[in-house]
Amino acid sequence: MKIAGYLLDLDGTVYRGSLLTPGAAVALEVLRRRGRRIAFLSNKPLFSRRTYVEKLRSLGISAGEEEVVTSAAVLARNLAKEAPGAKVFALGEPPLLAELAAAGLTLTDDPDEVEYVV
């Protein structure tokens, strides 16, 4: 069975704090040379996908935003699919709010409008 791609946790796996995990860069380079797809995962919604890409690049890892999956992005994508344009009251960091808005959801704090609380 050929493995088409790999899902890699970022925080504590690819890197720890500001340090790249030993061997991570070489392993990723080998996987890419073999044509494997890579997705970088984070359940920490404190940072945008762009911020994760910048961090990876600063550590010498090539990555694009389309390869980074955050809990905020998954939430926004799934909620937008379930309820396109829904009015959402969201408590969270700016990257979460930006993902919700980018997915076409309407952020509101009007209790008479709220359809979903995040």
Side-chain angles (χ1 to χ4, degrees), residues 71-106:
S71 55
V74 171
L75 169 69
R77 182 177 27 231
N78 287 332
L79 184 54
K81 183 178 178 182
E82 179 72 27
K87 294 181 174 69
V88 178
F89 177 74
L91 296 172
E93 301 295 326
L96 169 63
L97 304 179
E99 288 284 2
L100 293 168
L105 300 163
T106 302

Side-chain angles (χ1 to χ4, degrees), residues 6-110:
Y6 294 83
L7 305 174
L8 303 170
D9 181 55
L10 286 172
D11 314 301
T13 304
V14 174
Y15 56 75
R16 290 182 183 196
S18 61
L19 300 175
L20 188 63
T21 300
V26 172
L28 289 166
E29 183 180 319
V30 168
L31 292 173
R32 288 193 191 280
R33 263 190 279 134
R34 292 182 179 172
R36 303 305 192 263
R37 293 183 63 203
I38 295 171
F40 299 100
L41 309 176
S42 178
N43 64 351
K44 189 191 293 185
L46 302 176
F47 305 108
S48 69
R49 288 182 286 157
R50 165 69 29 212
T51 300
Y52 282 112
V53 167
E54 290 169 0
K55 181 170 186 170
L56 286 166
R57 288 180 181 167
S58 76
L59 295 170
I61 303 295
S62 173
E65 278 188 62
E66 71 285 354
E67 294 178 303
V68 176
V69 179
T70 66
S71 55
V74 171
L75 169 69
R77 182 177 27 231
N78 287 332
L79 184 54
K81 183 178 178 182
E82 179 72 27
K87 294 181 174 69
V88 178
F89 177 74
L91 296 172
E93 301 295 326
L96 169 63
L97 304 179
E99 288 284 2
L100 293 168
L105 300 163
T106 302
L107 301 176
T108 183
D109 59 2
D110 182 341

